[in-house]
Amino acid sequence: MSATRTLTVEAARFGYAGRIVVDGLDLRIPPGAVTVIVGANACGKSTLLRGMARLLAPERGSVLLDGKDIHRTPTRQVARALGLLPQSPTAPEGIAVADLVARGRTPYHGLLGRWTPADDEAVARAMTATGVLDLADRPVDELSGGQRQRVWIATALAQETDVLLLDEPTTYLDVTHQVEVLDLLTDLNRDRGTTVVMVLHDLNLAARYADHLVAVKDGALYATGAATEVVTPRTVADVFGLRAEVIDDPVSGAPLVLPVGRHHTRGA
């Protein structure tokens, strides 16, 4: 896989039903890196990701994939380059895990396209990587929330794209599986050069796993760069409205945010 694909947002405005959510935003996604988008609830993180995924057309500006307007590029061509795991995806009732993951291969088949051994291999790799191979014959709607999330990630991995967009991929997962999923995505990035872009709710996990961190406030870009540059007490206060101390994570060396509440400071 190649790490040369470029994804760029230029002066983009996104909104719903006349309500502007993201306005005038410029962003370049570093190829071959893990980019994490953070911000307070309702700041525009998911809207931005939907725009980059071609699910939401900009009212102004553009989203460019390899220098071409993604909204004017054929759907199949985009789907072979860019994969997406949205928030709270839904599966057809009664569908088995293996059948859902196999749908990740759809961009490679025309109307008369035939299933090939390469498709079998891609599905098996994705299911093995996410630890759901033993669930292959289980109906998706009978799985736990964490199991379903891993199946959806497997479906995105089976698509084998150069760029992978994920909206809150650790949703419904306990802390053990959150770390496993983020480690998996990091492996995918390092081993295959996949450009990974994800929205995360947990700022400390974002700081630990991001090569490039993007902080969004009120639909605008607040800061971008390495976690050590972006995660500061001032950023946490301005973006999240939270007073906090920031220290070095003793495990990873990344910034570690320690919220300052009213009841848990020494001497309080």
Side-chain angles (χ1 to χ4, degrees), residues 172-191:
Y172 306 122
L173 301 182
D174 59 32
V175 65
T176 299
H177 289 110
Q178 288 179 37
V179 171
E180 287 180 358
V181 165
L182 294 173
D183 281 346
L184 166 66
L185 295 171
T186 300
D187 290 341
L188 184 69
N189 166 257
R190 293 178 179 175
D191 296 343

Side-chain angles (χ1 to χ4, degrees), residues 97-266:
V97 167
D99 293 332
L100 181 62
V101 176
R103 294 192 174 198
R105 303 300 297 166
T106 300
Y108 300 94
H109 302 150
L111 291 176
L112 301 178
R114 298 179 60 184
W115 191 263
T116 68
D119 294 317
D120 284 324
E121 292 169 5
V123 170
R125 280 194 299 270
M127 294 178 68
T128 300
T130 52
V132 298
L133 192 59
D134 61 339
L135 303 176
D137 297 326
R138 292 273 303 277
V140 175
D141 50 16
E142 292 182 3
L143 303 180
S144 69
Q147 289 172 324
R148 283 197 299 271
Q149 190 72 345
R150 284 186 283 145
V151 169
W152 280 111
I153 292 173
T155 305
L157 295 188
Q159 199 170 329
E160 293 191 325
T161 57
D162 293 329
V163 182
L164 186 59
L165 308 180
L166 306 103
D167 195 354
E168 293 283 4
T170 56
T171 299
Y172 306 122
L173 301 182
D174 59 32
V175 65
T176 299
H177 289 110
Q178 288 179 37
V179 171
E180 287 180 358
V181 165
L182 294 173
D183 281 346
L184 166 66
L185 295 171
T186 300
D187 290 341
L188 184 69
N189 166 257
R190 293 178 179 175
D191 296 343
R192 299 170 61 188
T194 305
T195 299
V196 176
V197 185
M198 54 184 161
V199 170
L200 285 182
H201 181 75
D202 188 312
L203 184 55
N204 285 328
L205 285 178
R208 177 177 286 191
Y209 283 92
D211 298 314
H212 185 73
L213 199 61
V214 176
V216 175
K217 178 183 179 183
D218 297 332
L221 200 62
Y222 180 90
T224 65
T228 52
E229 300 169 346
V230 174
V231 182
T232 65
R234 179 174 179 178
T235 297
V236 175
D238 288 351
V239 173
F240 294 91
L242 175 68
R243 189 162 65 96
E245 298 289 340
V246 177
I247 64 172
D248 291 339
D249 184 335
V251 173
S252 67
L256 181 65
V257 177
L258 304 177
V260 178
R262 293 186 295 108
H263 300 292
H264 300 101
T265 55
R266 290 182 178 178

Side-chain angles (χ1 to χ4, degrees), residues 5 7 53-54 63-82:
R5 291 193 181 275
L7 184 62
R54 198 172 175 265
V63 178
L64 306 178
L65 179 63
D66 295 338
K68 300 178 181 179
D69 190 330
I70 198 170
H71 294 277
R72 298 181 180 179
T73 303
T75 299
R76 191 176 299 275
Q77 184 177 335
V78 173
R80 290 186 177 187
L82 188 153

